[in-house]
Amino acid sequence: MSKVVAQIDVQDLKCEMLTNPLGIDVLQPRLSWKIVSSERNVDQKAYQIMVSSSAEKLAQNQGDLWNSEKINSSASIHVQYGGIKLNSRMRCFWKIKTWTTAGESEWSAPGSWTMGLLYYKDWPKGWIGFDRPFPGDNIKTDSRLSARYFRKEFQSTKEIKSATASIIGLGLYELYINGKKVGEDVLSPSPTDYTKNVKYNTYEVTSYLQNGKNAVGAVLGNGRFFAMRQHEKPYKIKTFGFPKMLMNINIVYTDGTSLNIDTDGSWKGTADGPIRTNNEYDGEEYDATKEFRGWNSIGFDDRKWLKAEFVQEPTGVIEAQMNENIRVMNTLKPVSIKKLSGDRYILDMGQNMVGWLQIKVKAQKGKQIKLRFAESLQENGELFTANLRNAKCTDLYTAKGGGMETWEPTFVYRGFRYVELSGYAYQPSVNDFIGKMIYDNIKTVGTFETSDALTNQIFKNAWWGIAGNYKGIPIDCPQRNERMPWLGDRGAVAYGESFVFDNGRFYAKWLQDIRNSQKDDGAIPDVAPAFWRYYSDNMTWPGAMLLVTEMLYKQNGDVSAVTDNYPAMKKWLTYMQDRYMQDYILTKDSYGDWCMPPVTIEFGRGKSADKKYPSALISTAYYYHFTQLMMQFAKAIGKEDDVKTYEILGNNIKNAFNKKYYDEKGFYASNALTDNVIPLYFGMVPKDKVATVFKNITYTVEVTNKGHLSNGLVGIQWLMRCLNDYGRPDLAYTVATQKTYPSWGYMVDNGATTIWELWNGNTADPKMNSQNHVMMLGDLLIWYYENLAGIKSEEAAFKKITMKPEMINGLDKVNASYKSIYGLIKSEYTKTPTQFKWTVTVPANTKATVYIPANSKDEVSEKMKSIMDLKFLKMENNRAIYEIGSGDYFFVVDRK
Ligand code: BGC
C-alpha cells in the first residue's frame, strides 16, 4: 500500500467516549477516533493502535502496554483495548493510525487516559466528617446544615513527577490545594443512591503542589446526600447522612518513591464557616464575616478547629465517575433592573436559566443582601413563587464590609429568570451581576436553524430547558421542591436530546441508576435514583430504561448499553407480565396520557393538572412495543432464544389488543388521538386497517383539533413521527408551528423561554406549572433532525445515514448539523418553486442514502464534482435516491 497520503487525518481520540479521561475504572476501555479527509468515499480498511506507559515511549513507538499491529477492520468506534492488564493508577498514552480507501494516515496526535483506584484496598482507611449537627443547624424538616470545612498541611520535599487527587466528597465537595480550587467542576460528584454506589473524581494536581509545605482543604455541602427535606415524608424521601469524604492524594517523585496524603485522623475540621446553610431547594446563606482567610493555604492557625472524626462509610460500591461533572457552562448579563417598593429591586436575566447569580456589592459589615429567585413575575411586578411550592429559592449574603465584595453560592442552583434583590443601600446596576448557567460539561453537538422564526425559538427554548435540567441526573425541573429524575419525562425526550447534546455518558450513568433502583423482584420505580420511593408499577415510566437503551445503541452504537441493561429490562418485563398481564392485556398503568391538554384553555383554569387516568390501552401498547425492542436488543447481543420468545409474546399481545380495543369504525378505544397514534406507530394495526386508522388520526388533528395536538406525555412522544411517516409531514408542520393553544408556539407566544410542564401552563392551577420541564417536547426534536433536516441513523451510530428532508410548503430553508461519533453530518437546504439547493456532509467511514426531491434524475446535478460519479439507486415518490460515501456535496435540482 502506498505510503502516507496527507489528506487523511485521525482526530478526536476518545476513551470510553471521553477525551483524555482521568481515573477510569473500565479494565478494557473502548477507544474511538474520527477520520477526517477532504477526499470522498473514505472508508477505513485497517487500523493500528499503540498504547504506552509514558508519552516518551509512545513517541518512540514503544507500545509497551499494547501494540495492536495492523488489524484489518473498518471499526473506528468502541474498539476494545486488548493489551496487558491495566492496574490502579496506571497512565496510558495512545495513538492510532489508519489505512483507508484514500491512503494511509500519519500516526494521530497522542491521547491519554489514567486508571483510577480499582480496588477497595487502594483507598485510605478512613472516611472523615462529623456525623452530627452543630449549633445553628436545623435538621427537622427543611434541612439547614452549615458546610463542613476540612484541612491538613503536609511536607513534600522531593522533585515531583506527578500527583493525582482521588476524592469522594458527599454530597458535594470543593477541593483546594495551596489556596487554589482544584479543577473547574462545581456541584460534584454526580448524585447516586449512595447505598448502592458512590462516585469518585480524579484530578491531576501536580501543578498545585510546591516544594516544602503544602496545604489541602475541602468544603463539603449537602447535595442529595443530606437530603433537602429531612423527616418531611420519611416514608418517601431518602436521606443518607451527614456530609463526609474519602480522599487520597498520590504524589510520585522522580526518584520513584511516592507519598500518599489520605483522609485520616490528622485532619482538622469545622462547621463554623461562612456557608451557614446550603440546601438545593431553599438556597445558600453565606456570612462573609465568618470567613477564615487563608484556611486552605499553609500557615493558617487551625487550633480552634476540631479534630476531624472518622465516620461511618456509605454502603455503596466505590466507582469512578465516568460521566461529566457539572461546570459553569455559560454566563448571562441581566437585561434590566427595576425598583420595587422599599429597598427591593427586580433583576431580569432575559432568559429562564438554571444556575446561580454572582453579585458584586458594597455594604457595611453585617448587612444582609437577600436574593429571591423565580421564573416569572406577577402582574404587579412581584415575583411569582406559587409554582416553587415550598422551595424557598433564596440566597442570603452577609457582607464583611470595607469595599467591593464579590460572591456566588457554592452548593445550590435553581431555575430562574427574575431575582428580587433587597438590602442594598444604593441602586445596584446590571453590571453588578452575572448569571452563571450550570449543567453537566456535555458538548452541544447539534445545530438547527430554519427559515421559520418560531421553529428557531422553540429549538432555542428546548436547548435552554434540556441543558439546564442536566444535573448529574436528568431532573424533571430545576425550581420547585422536586427536581427529581422522573423516568417518564426522559423516556419521552432523551432520544431527541441526543441530537443536540453529547449525552451518551450521562445517560449510560442514568441507566446504571435505574438498574440500581430495581428491587429484587424486578420492580423498577418511577424516579431513579429512588430519592423518592415511587414503585407504582406501570409501563410508561420504568419503560424509559428500554427507550434510553435504544437511544444509546442507535445514536452512539454503544452496545454495552444493551449488554449492561438487558438482564434488568428482561426481569422487569417478566415481573410486569407475571403480575399484571391477563389474556395478553397488561392491566396496570399509573399516569395515563399524563398532563393531556384540557379541551379548552378556559377549562384548564384553576383545574388540577395532575389528574391520573390510567389506561390499559397505553400499558398494553407499550408492553408490545417493548417486546419489539427486546427482539432488537436480543439480536444485538446474540440471545436468539429470547428473540423468538418476545416475538411470540408480542404477537399474542397484538392480537388481544386489537380484539379488545379496535373498533370497526376504524379507531381504537375512544378514538382519542393517543389511543390511535401509539398502536399505529408501534406497528400493531393490521395492514388492511392502517389507512383508516391514520385517517382518523389526521381527522382528529386537522378537523376536530383545528390543526392542534391533543396529547399528553405519552402520545406526544410519537405524534410527529407518526404524522410524518404515514405521509403527512405538512400536518406535522402545522402542529409544530401553531401559536394558539395547545402548542409549543403558544408557550413561546406567552413569553416562555424554555418549555412548560403543562400545555395550559399559564392558566392551570398556579402551583402546578413548572416553566422549565422538557417532557412535553415529545418527539419534536427527533422530527426536526430526522425529518426536517433529514439526518437519521439507519445503522447504529450513523454508520448508515438516511438523508431525507421533507419538503414542506412554507419552510424554505433548513440548516442543521450533528457531530456524530464518526464525525460531522450536515444538511443545509434552500428551496424556491424552481430550485432546490442542498449541501450535505457525510463523515468518513460512513455512508448515506440521499433522497433528492426531483421529478426525474435529469433535474439533479452535483456542483462540487459530478453527479455521474455517484451511485444512483432509483426514483421513488418524486425523489432521486443516491447512495453516497463520505465527503462534501452540493446538490442542485432545477425543476423542469
Ligand atoms: C413531575 C413530572 C413527573 C410526574 C409523575 C411530576 O410532579 O414533575 O415530571 O413525571 O410528577 O407523577
Side-chain angles (χ1 to χ4, degrees), residues 486-495 510 540-541 543-545 547-548 717:
W486 284 95
L487 272 70
D489 304 37
R490 298 315 177 104
V493 288
Y495 178 15
W510 194 45
T540 42
W541 263 242
M545 189 173 197
L547 297 172
V548 173
Q717 296 175 47

Side-chain angles (χ1 to χ4, degrees), residues 389 476-477 480 482 484 486-489 526 532 534 541 591 594-595 610 612 713 757 768 770 773 775:
R389 303 184 187 162
D476 58 340
C477 57
R480 69 185 178 215
E482 191 152 0
M484 284 294 148
W486 284 95
L487 272 70
D489 304 37
D526 302 342
W532 285 0
Y534 278 114
W541 263 242
Y591 303 105
W594 182 241
C595 298
D610 57 349
K612 297 174 181 151
L713 174 60
E757 178 177 18
M768 286 313 298
S770 140
H773 247 63
M775 64 185 189

Side-chain angles (χ1 to χ4, degrees), residues 493-756:
V493 288
Y495 178 15
E497 291 168 18
S498 73
F499 282 99
V500 191
F501 293 95
D502 183 15
N503 57 17
R505 298 307 316 173
F506 173 83
Y507 274 114
K509 183 262 180 189
W510 194 45
L511 286 174
Q512 185 195 31
D513 293 334
I514 298 174
R515 268 189 333 262
N516 281 344
S517 70
Q518 184 168 39
K519 294 288 181 195
D520 284 347
D521 59 9
I524 290 180
D526 302 342
V527 173
F531 296 131
W532 285 0
R533 270 187 296 265
Y534 278 114
Y535 287 81
S536 82
D537 286 351
N538 64 85
M539 297 309 298
T540 42
W541 263 242
M545 189 173 197
L546 285 92
L547 297 172
V548 173
T549 299
E550 181 196 17
M551 179 277 274
L552 290 181
Y553 182 55
K554 189 166 178 177
Q555 301 294 83
N556 299 327
D558 183 2
V559 78
S560 75
V562 180
T563 332
D564 292 350
N565 298 299
Y566 191 88
M569 299 188 289
K570 186 172 166 179
K571 189 171 179 181
W572 170 66
L573 285 170
T574 307
Y575 167 88
M576 291 302 289
Q577 183 184 3
D578 288 352
R579 283 161 184 78
Y580 302 111
M581 199 179 277
Q582 268 169 28
D583 302 326
Y584 298 107
I585 296 297
L586 205 284
T587 56
K588 179 70 171 66
D589 181 40
S590 304
Y591 303 105
D593 195 9
W594 182 241
C595 298
M596 245 176 82
V599 183
T600 66
I601 187 99
E602 290 74 27
F603 185 75
R605 198 170 291 276
K607 287 264 166 8
S608 163
D610 57 349
K611 279 235 164 65
K612 297 174 181 151
Y613 303 97
S615 153
L617 178 147
I618 289 176
S619 51
T620 307
Y622 265 68
Y623 202 107
Y624 173 79
H625 183 58
F626 293 154
T627 60
Q628 307 305 294
L629 288 184
M630 287 304 277
M631 284 165 64
Q632 278 180 36
F633 298 156
K635 266 185 210 144
I637 59 172
K639 296 209 181 271
E640 290 306 325
D641 291 354
D642 285 3
V643 178
K644 220 43 267 117
T645 312
Y646 283 115
E647 189 181 359
I648 295 168
L649 179 59
N651 285 336
N652 287 331
I653 294 171
K654 184 160 67 180
N655 293 336
F657 180 89
N658 281 314
K659 220 160 119 197
K660 185 169 167 80
Y661 294 111
Y662 186 71
D663 186 303
E664 278 311 319
K665 289 192 225 52
F667 55 76
Y668 284 85
S670 65
N671 200 14
L673 189 52
T674 296
D675 289 352
N676 289 326
V677 164
I678 55 176
L680 182 62
Y681 194 74
F682 292 167
M684 301 177 84
V685 180
K687 268 207 179 79
D688 59 328
K689 313 269 194 301
V690 165
T692 27
V693 172
F694 188 60
K695 231 175 121 193
N696 266 305
I697 289 174
T698 55
Y699 187 86
T700 304
V701 175
E702 233 169 353
V703 182
T704 318
N705 297 349
K706 301 189 177 64
H708 293 78
L709 53 89
S710 51
N711 314 83
L713 174 60
V714 170
I716 203 62
Q717 296 175 47
W718 317 100
L719 178 70
M720 304 306 281
R721 285 179 280 180
C722 181
L723 291 175
N724 191 90
D725 295 2
Y726 285 87
R728 292 296 307 275
D730 62 309
L731 189 55
Y733 187 67
T734 304
V735 171
T737 51
Q738 283 295 355
K739 289 191 176 170
T740 45
Y741 171 83
S743 64
W744 297 285
Y746 177 75
M747 299 177 189
V748 170
D749 239 34
N750 282 275
T753 55
T754 39
I755 306 292
W756 294 345

